[in-house]
Amino acid sequence: MSHKLQVGEMKAAYLTDKEIWGHFNYIFSSKSKNSTTYKFVLIKSLLENLYNVNDKLELNYSSLYSSFAKIYWNLVIHHNLNQINMTDKRAEVQNILLNIQSKYQLPETVVFDRLSAEIQVEIINKVKKKCKINVMGAIYGDTGCTIYDFDNQKEQLRMNSTVYSFMLRFQRVLNYLTNYHLALFLEKFNEKGDTTNLLLKVENVSRGHPLINFIKCYPLFITGSVFTAERLLRRKMLTWIILSHGVLFRLTSSGI
């Protein structure tokens, strides 16, 4: 099974935008096995690290899982949100973070950035050790073995150049989509608020632009009164636009 792979090689060097959107739509759909929030948080972590790759589009796991650990700490400890699709169990990363919280007697009000450097390093290393075993191969498998190469022994991945370009161009949209589907997952297995409230919490766990800015842009997509890059986005891509009250609308151009 792909989630158990320790090394993965890309099976396609070039992908069209439509093919890449198809992969992300699959991850966000019920066809993808999402028993925890790992995949959503990994996508958010990749988006946060697009500018940390080298000239070969390689990214080390320390940078990747620094973002991953920060997001998870703030979801699990600061917001006390369950991350698995069973209310009577915890995801393995949850247990790691809760054990560290107990070990150092840390209050839930402490966000990741306020932790000491030593504790942050301990968290990142433990999360990286646990997650690289399953998480890297899971996204790799869901995208048809095309999104990146990865090597868990070297603790490094290499982005597909067309996927990397795509994620740069649609970084904000992908971030909103991931936040939304992460919030939907959390709503099902937590008793703390509805999707709208959870979206606000999800957005606050890592850096990014407020969802409200994206919501305000929606009328411009409808009228076409936006700059050229956004018009191309509207005409060419198949994606989800997030509106207020947790409603999703699929925008498709006549050419798709």
Side-chain angles (χ1 to χ4, degrees):
M1 299 177 69
S2 59
H3 70 278
K4 294 294 185 181
L5 289 175
Q6 298 306 298
V7 177
E9 295 184 359
M10 284 183 285
K11 294 185 178 180
Y14 177 82
L15 296 171
T16 65
D17 282 3
K18 185 175 181 179
E19 288 172 326
I20 298 170
W21 273 121
H23 288 316
F24 280 105
N25 282 334
Y26 179 86
I27 293 171
F28 296 138
S29 75
S30 59
K31 296 178 182 179
S32 176
K33 183 179 179 181
N34 292 312
S35 58
T36 69
T37 56
Y38 292 162
K39 290 180 186 177
F40 304 126
V41 176
L42 182 62
I43 292 173
K44 286 175 64 64
S45 301
L46 285 169
L47 290 167
E48 285 194 4
N49 282 278
L50 291 176
Y51 297 100
N52 290 330
V53 300
N54 62 21
D55 57 357
K56 296 180 181 179
L57 301 184
E58 295 169 338
L59 177 67
N60 65 67
Y61 282 11
S62 293
S63 294
L64 181 66
Y65 282 101
S66 175
S67 296
F68 193 102
K70 173 183 176 179
I71 294 168
Y72 242 88
W73 175 273
N74 292 338
L75 286 173
V76 172
I77 304 301
H78 190 59
H79 292 302
N80 192 28
L81 292 169
N82 186 39
Q83 304 295 310
I84 195 170
N85 62 354
M86 291 173 279
T87 55
D88 58 338
K89 291 188 177 181
R90 294 171 178 164
E92 293 182 2
V93 174
Q94 276 182 268
N95 288 326
I96 290 173
L97 300 181
L98 289 167
N99 288 339
I100 290 177
Q101 181 192 25
S102 176
K103 175 182 176 181
Y104 295 105
Q105 295 296 298
L106 298 166
E108 64 180 25
T109 54
V110 177
V111 296
F112 187 83
D113 287 339
R114 294 296 182 91
L115 298 172
S116 69
E118 293 77 12
I119 294 178
Q120 287 188 23
V121 170
E122 180 180 350
I123 292 171
I124 292 167
N125 286 337
K126 288 185 176 180
V127 169
K128 178 177 62 175
K129 181 179 180 180
K130 176 59 65 176
C131 286
K132 71 179 185 180
I133 298 173
N134 295 322
V135 179
M136 301 307 299
I139 290 283
Y140 173 81
D142 274 3
T143 58
C145 310
T146 60
I147 188 171
Y148 50 57
D149 287 329
F150 72 96
D151 188 321
N152 284 344
Q153 184 173 358
K154 294 180 180 179
E155 296 193 341
Q156 180 178 276
L157 65 83
R158 179 173 63 92
M159 296 287 294
N160 180 307
S161 60
T162 55
V163 174
Y164 178 76
S165 173
F166 178 92
M167 293 181 76
L168 280 177
R169 285 181 286 128
F170 301 127
Q171 183 177 8
R172 187 175 296 187
V173 177
L174 287 170
N175 193 51
Y176 293 145
L177 291 173
T178 308
N179 286 350
Y180 183 82
H181 286 280
L182 174 54
L184 284 181
F185 183 99
L186 294 173
E187 183 183 34
K188 292 179 182 177
F189 306 107
N190 288 275
E191 298 179 356
K192 292 182 176 288
D194 56 20
T195 302
T196 302
N197 291 328
L198 287 169
L199 262 174
L200 295 175
K201 292 181 179 180
V202 167
E203 288 195 324
N204 287 332
V205 298
S206 60
R207 59 181 177 271
H209 299 280
L211 178 64
I212 190 64
N213 291 341
F214 194 56
I215 294 171
K216 289 178 180 178
C217 287
Y218 181 71
L220 301 180
F221 280 93
I222 299 302
T223 62
S225 56
V226 288
F227 55 89
T228 303
E230 299 293 357
R231 288 179 183 171
L232 289 174
L233 175 64
R234 177 180 175 231
R235 289 200 303 266
K236 293 183 178 180
M237 78 177 187
L238 171 62
T239 188
W240 299 99
I241 299 300
I242 303 173
L243 298 180
S244 55
H245 308 300
V247 178
L248 285 178
F249 286 81
R250 175 175 280 180
L251 294 185
T252 59
S253 72
S254 58
I256 294 179

